[in-house]
């Protein structure tokens, strides 16, 4: 069989002393942390779109990256070679999962029926490769944002004909995700948002978006797809205002439209920072509300205002992310999907490996450090002390709803000023540094 990434053999764990840039220094898949293997904690996935379809193009210039799987003139031959290359890459890297959009794996044909036939052809190959390698599908999704028909949105399009197209596409994408044994299905709101309110019926569009999600839930039941549904928040880009702004906004939307039982969040680090939050915040908010599902592991650049989708290398980010994930019980259906692409100048095959190896090691370190912090209960102890007042009679009475404004006022008139306590932020930051 053709080898598409001949310069790299299997990436192995060699330990922290290794100087081999193509070896893991920290990610040792079988090593146990808190009773579970690192592979089972981290559930790494490679994304198909950036890793195999993104070839360095940006708004200012064409592709810079040449890949040997991308040369055939026949579009389906190219699609099949790309799929083969992808599985070679997953295997050499040693990840257990992959994620895809329908349109990543097979290009659109002239009509939906032909497009779906192409999908069936490629899914057959993907299924065989999954079987041969044991690599699984973490989640599938629909690209209902690239084609011009979706320029004004998919589910929120002013034209119901486009809504119908989006629904048909989601139907098929869910079916093939099920066929591939996908453990989840993501809704990222592509162009579900607006560029100007002057031409937009915001309330009606939100109703339509909810309707589309309800239809997806119904179809999921109908076909017996057991995967978890996720919404992936993002505040802007491509539209000026995306409806799924952040986890808080999505949670309110899910509650209003009775969708909470069916959806969890797929939190992307770069989208969190675009929304003016930290990655840590979006994870913590989701965990606190029982909707933390999966993660798109990448990073942005705080000096740039857009979705740079860089590989995650910041240990503060990975430690704090893993801290929240572990504390919330760890991934079940979700995982860490590298929704990231190499920079335009990183044109060699080996750069794609360096990027993933570094990111996996960064999360492996995050996992190990976070597990130590959890074992030592460093933050737990401080937080418990900080909230200890809530375990006193006053706190308990308020929490159990036994107090009203009159009683609370009486308490203050009797007891006077509360005693102030330090938040200890600097100390905690120093402690975090010690762990890192
Ligand atoms: C785009 C999103 C997208 C989703 C899947 O910004 O990150 O890639 O993850 O459609
Ligand atoms: Ca993403
Ligand atoms: Ca992104």
């Amino acid at each position: 069989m053709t080898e598409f990434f001949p310069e790299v053999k299997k990436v192995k764990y060699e330990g922290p002393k290794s100087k081999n840039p193509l070896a893991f220094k920290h990610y040792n898949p079988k090593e146990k942390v808190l009773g579970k293997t690192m592979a089972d904690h981290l559930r790494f996935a490679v994304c198909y779109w950036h890793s195999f379809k993104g070839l360095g193009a940006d708004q200012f210039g064409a592709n810079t990256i040449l890949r040997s799987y991308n040369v055939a003139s026949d579009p389906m031959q190219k699609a099949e070679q790309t799929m083969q290359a992808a599985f070679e890459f997953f295997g050499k890297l040693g990840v257990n999962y992959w994620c895809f959009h329908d349109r990543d794996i097979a290009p659109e044909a002239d009509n939906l029926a032909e497009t779906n036939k192409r999908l069936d052809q490629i899914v057959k190959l993907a299924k065989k490769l999954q079987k041969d390698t044991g690599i699984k599908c973490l989640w599938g999704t629909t690209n209902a944002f690239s084609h011009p028909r979706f320029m004004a949105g998919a589910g929120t399009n002013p034209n119901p004909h486009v809504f119908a197209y989006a629904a048909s596409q989601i139907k098929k994408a869910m079916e093939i995700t099920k066929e591939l044994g996908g453990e989840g299905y993501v809704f990222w709101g592509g162009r579900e948002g607006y560029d100007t309110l002057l031409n937009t019926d915001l309330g009606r569009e939100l109703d339509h978006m909810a309707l589309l999600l309800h239809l997806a839930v119904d179809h999921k039941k109908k076909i017996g797809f057991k995967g978890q549904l996720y919404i992936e928040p993002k505040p802007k880009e491509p539209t000026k205002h995306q409806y799924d702004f952040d986890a808080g906004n999505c949670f309110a939307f899910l509650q209003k439209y009775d969708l909470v039982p069916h959806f969890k969040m797929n939190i992307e680090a770069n989208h969190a920072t675009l929304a003016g939050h930290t990655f840590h915040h979006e994870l913590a908010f989701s965990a606190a509300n029982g909707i933390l599902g999966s993660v798109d592991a990448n990073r942005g650049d705080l000096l740039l205002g857009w979705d740079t989708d860089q590989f995650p290398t910041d240990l503060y980010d990975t430690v704090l992310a893993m801290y929240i994930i572990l504390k919330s019980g760890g991934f079940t259906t979700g995982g860490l999907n590298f929704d990231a692409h190499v920079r335009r100048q990183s044109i060699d095959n080996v750069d794609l490996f360096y990027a993933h190896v570094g990111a996996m090691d960064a999360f492996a370190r995050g996992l190990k450090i976070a597990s130590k912090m959890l074992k030592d209960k460093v933050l737990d102890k401080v937080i418990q002390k900080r909230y200890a007042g809530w375990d006193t009679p006053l706190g308990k009475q308020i929490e159990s709803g036994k107090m009203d404004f009159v009683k609370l006022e009486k308490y203050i008139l009797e007891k006077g000023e509360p005693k102030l306590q330090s938040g200890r932020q600097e100390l905690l930051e120093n402690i975090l540094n010690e762990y890192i």
Side-chain angles (χ1 to χ4, degrees), residues 46 75 96 103 131-132 161 172 182 187 194 210 222-223 241 244 247 254-255 271 306 362 368 384 402 431 434:
V46 169
N96 295 331
R103 300 303 177 247
K131 197 165 168 251
D132 293 348
H161 198 134
K172 181 69 180 172
F187 290 83
Y194 60 80
K222 191 168 175 185
I223 62 173
H241 179 97
D244 297 327
L254 291 175
Q255 289 179 90
H271 297 178
W306 63 91
K368 287 196 252 181
Q384 204 188 6
K402 291 204 181 94
I431 292 174
E434 288 303 312

Side-chain angles (χ1 to χ4, degrees), residues 149-421:
R149 79 175 74 87
F150 297 120
M151 69 179 186
T156 63
N157 200 288
N159 182 353
H161 198 134
V162 179
F163 181 101
Y165 211 108
S168 317
Q169 217 181 300
I170 294 168
K171 172 182 177 289
K172 181 69 180 172
M174 270 187 143
E175 289 165 4
I176 60 171
T177 302
K178 180 189 175 232
E179 179 72 15
L180 289 168
E183 298 185 21
Y185 188 89
V186 164
F187 290 83
W188 168 61
R191 293 180 194 273
E192 314 291 28
Y194 60 80
D195 291 321
T196 172
L197 283 173
L198 298 177
N199 64 12
T200 303
D201 187 340
L202 184 147
R204 203 166 184 185
E205 291 202 354
L206 287 170
D207 289 348
H208 293 165
M209 200 158 88
L211 206 62
L212 187 72
L213 296 182
H214 270 290
L215 295 180
V217 169
D218 292 347
H219 194 66
K220 180 187 162 189
K221 277 190 204 137
K222 191 168 175 185
I223 62 173
F225 173 47
K226 298 275 179 285
Q228 172 65 49
L229 303 181
Y230 306 105
I231 292 191
E232 180 179 324
K234 183 174 185 180
K236 54 186 167 193
E237 202 194 355
T239 69
K240 163 186 156 153
H241 179 97
Q242 301 273 130
Y243 290 134
D244 297 327
F245 195 95
D246 59 5
N249 188 287
C250 289
F251 191 45
F253 172 87
L254 291 175
Q255 289 179 90
K256 175 176 175 193
Y257 293 101
D258 293 327
L259 286 161
V260 178
H262 307 290
F263 286 87
K264 287 194 158 61
M265 294 295 115
N266 179 42
I267 297 297
E268 178 175 315
N270 202 166
H271 297 178
T273 51
L274 286 177
H277 301 306
T278 58
F279 182 26
H280 190 195
H281 167 88
E282 286 291 85
L283 294 170
F285 179 88
S286 304
N289 289 290
I291 51 166
L292 178 56
S294 201
V295 167
D296 270 6
N298 63 9
R299 77 171 204 275
D301 183 322
L302 290 180
L303 301 183
L304 301 174
W306 63 91
D307 196 14
T308 62
D309 284 338
Q310 287 165 248
F311 278 85
T313 51
D314 184 325
L315 289 184
Y316 285 93
D317 264 356
T318 64
V319 168
L320 294 173
M322 288 317 299
Y323 186 82
I324 301 287
I325 291 163
L326 288 175
K327 230 178 151 32
S328 71
F331 289 124
T332 51
T333 53
L336 294 168
N337 168 46
F338 294 117
D339 189 355
H341 59 88
V342 291
R343 298 302 90 190
R344 183 170 160 78
Q345 297 179 52
S346 303
I347 57 175
D348 295 335
N349 281 346
V350 73
D351 290 314
L352 194 61
F353 282 91
Y354 290 146
H356 283 88
V357 168
M360 288 162 78
D361 260 351
F363 266 96
R365 285 172 84 176
L367 168 66
K368 287 196 252 181
I369 295 167
S371 73
K372 271 199 213 114
M373 288 169 59
L374 273 174
K375 265 195 223 150
D376 296 351
K377 297 195 182 338
V378 266
L379 299 183
D380 281 342
K381 281 183 199 156
V382 176
I383 291 176
Q384 204 188 6
K385 200 169 158 212
R386 191 157 182 250
Y387 290 80
W390 289 95
D391 299 319
T392 63
L394 171 68
K396 281 187 185 154
Q397 277 168 346
I398 300 176
E399 274 190 345
S400 61
K402 291 204 181 94
M403 296 294 247
D404 58 17
F405 274 11
V406 177
K407 288 180 189 155
L408 288 166
E409 182 192 46
K410 186 167 170 272
Y411 182 88
I412 294 302
L413 291 172
E414 273 169 26
K415 305 276 180 185
E417 279 298 317
K419 192 168 167 256
L420 300 185
Q421 58 174 344

